[in-house]
Amino acid sequence: MANRHTIIVIASIIVIAGSLGYSSVNAISAHGLEFSWPGKSFDFLSVMTDKTVNVCNPSGLPASFSKYSFTIFYDGNDLGTFSTGRGGLGPNSDGVVFGKFESGDDRMASLFFSFLDTETGGTDVTRINTDKIKVTTQLESTILWVVPHIITQEYSGVEFINMINKPTSCEK
């Protein structure tokens, strides 16, 4: 008969290995998450009024995250950040997460976003240089439910609009 301590050690190893394996799977599948704006109608001014973002997990593995956010910059100045809460998705599934826009000055951000939208829309009523718009996204999750894991990507303003308005793999 096996020693009682040996059984406890083997069971502990199995639990630890399972936790590491599941946590690693989440870190891998989180890289594949796709985000899109509801109705494919993203423009910069919409971040101040819209409160949801669609999320798609096209992988065959479950994925979860603690926060998704994007920060809009113009000429290096932070105009504000749209942040969501946590979310979890099963394999090959989609969902909606709720978010909120925060800015140091909402009035200035709304005015500037309306200028950016007219410029990126091609109406050219302002003298805004669209090459100076940058958007940084962050997807935050954890490994072993404790160690932070952050995926950061940077886009030009036009690249971000195209990415966030593109249909996700779940919608095709």
Side-chain angles (χ1 to χ4, degrees):
M1 187 144 137
N3 182 348
R4 182 177 171 168
H5 293 290
T6 305
I7 293 172
I8 291 172
V9 168
I10 291 172
S12 298
I13 290 172
I14 291 171
V15 167
I16 291 170
S19 296
L20 280 172
Y22 180 78
S23 189
S24 298
V25 163
N26 184 58
I28 292 168
S29 60
H31 280 274
L33 290 176
E34 300 172 6
F35 294 87
S36 70
W37 205 249
K40 311 299 170 259
S41 61
F42 178 86
D43 58 31
F44 289 105
L45 195 55
S46 69
V47 299
M48 299 191 76
T49 57
D50 292 352
K51 302 297 180 200
T52 61
V53 175
N54 299 328
V55 60
C56 169
N57 178 14
S59 91
L61 305 168
S64 64
F65 59 93
S66 52
K67 182 170 120 176
Y68 173 72
S69 64
F70 57 86
T71 303
I72 302 167
F73 297 92
Y74 182 78
D75 200 20
N77 296 315
D78 182 345
L79 297 176
T81 301
F82 183 89
S83 300
T84 71
R86 64 181 58 250
L89 297 165
N92 302 306
S93 65
D94 61 348
V96 174
V97 290
F98 293 91
K100 180 180 181 183
F101 179 77
E102 293 182 356
S103 172
D105 185 351
D106 283 346
R107 291 178 304 161
M108 183 57 93
S110 66
L111 179 64
F112 206 84
F113 289 158
S114 66
F115 289 156
L116 289 173
D117 290 337
T118 59
E119 187 68 26
T120 58
T123 55
D124 292 333
V125 296
T126 61
R127 296 182 185 256
I128 301 280
N129 184 347
T130 57
D131 294 334
K132 293 183 178 185
I133 307 168
K134 301 289 182 216
V135 180
T136 302
T137 64
Q138 283 195 332
L139 180 65
E140 299 177 18
S141 62
T142 58
I143 298 174
L144 288 176
W145 304 279
V146 180
V147 180
H149 177 68
I150 300 173
I151 303 164
T152 303
Q153 294 181 324
E154 187 173 303
Y155 301 92
S156 72
V158 174
E159 287 174 326
F160 183 76
I161 289 172
N162 292 337
M163 183 271 304
I164 202 83
N165 281 331
K166 183 177 81 173
T168 64
S169 300
C170 298
E171 298 171 42
K172 294 178 183 174

